[in-house]
Amino acid sequence: MAWGSKRATVKCTAVGQAELLAAFAGGEVAARVRRLVAELIEGTSPQQASTTHSHSLPPPPASVFIDNRTAEVWARDGIIRDPKSHHLFMYAERLHQMIEERQLLLHHVSTTENVADALTKSLPRPAFETKICAPEQLASRLADLPRPLVFTNG
């Protein structure tokens, strides 16, 4: 798990913009962890492992969960058509590149099932308990997904 807090360097005026930046940050962390795992297992980076005569496969793509459809479309397409959000183009383009290179898998998760909300928002007690205090339900929903997992919340 990675957590960080710093003064924002990019201005977001809409939820979709903040979600895209959160997905980008999560994707960057996942890519670093993926490279670290590959180096520990194989002694090479994922890019080198694909060019050497190794018997092991590169690590699976990381799963990034996002609960905003606009940010999801921007990341999948790598294109932002909204002129008010054009300053975020490089983030969408990099996420798209990581998805195309199979470093990341992007998954939509409904807001009601987004466990990151319990760590970043003030929630009513029943919602908090559903997301945090029922880990066996979460584990069963996530069991079939490739690792590592990244939950984003803008």
Side-chain angles (χ1 to χ4, degrees):
M1 172 181 250
W3 183 86
S5 177
K6 65 178 185 171
R7 188 178 181 113
T9 56
V10 179
K11 184 177 179 181
C12 295
T13 57
V15 174
Q17 295 174 348
E19 291 285 345
L20 179 72
L21 288 178
F24 173 78
E28 287 291 309
V29 168
R32 283 194 300 271
V33 169
R34 188 173 178 269
R35 285 191 300 270
L36 176 64
V37 168
E39 289 174 16
L40 291 173
I41 291 173
E42 190 65 32
T44 61
S45 70
Q47 293 80 11
Q48 291 170 332
S50 63
T51 59
T52 62
H53 300 292
S54 172
H55 297 304
S56 65
L57 298 172
S63 292
V64 175
F65 295 83
I66 192 166
D67 67 352
N68 184 281
R69 292 284 187 191
T70 300
E72 182 182 0
V73 169
W74 288 346
R76 285 194 196 282
D77 296 345
I79 298 170
I80 297 179
R81 292 181 177 87
D82 177 13
K84 294 179 182 177
S85 301
H86 192 67
H87 63 289
L88 302 174
F89 174 74
M90 66 182 174
Y91 300 103
E93 187 177 47
R94 177 65 182 128
L95 275 170
H96 176 72
Q97 179 184 8
M98 288 190 283
I99 292 167
E100 289 293 310
E101 293 173 354
R102 304 268 310 143
Q103 294 179 30
L104 297 179
L105 293 177
L106 199 61
H107 302 278
H108 181 80
V109 61
S110 70
T111 301
T112 58
E113 294 182 359
N114 190 352
V115 295
D117 285 350
L119 303 172
T120 60
K121 296 178 181 176
S122 176
L123 296 174
R125 186 179 185 117
F128 178 82
E129 289 175 348
T130 300
K131 292 179 183 197
I132 293 298
C133 299
E136 64 282 350
Q137 294 174 353
L138 175 63
S140 68
R141 289 194 311 243
L142 301 177
D144 296 332
L145 296 172
R147 302 291 187 269
L149 303 174
V150 178
F151 293 90
T152 64
N153 200 349

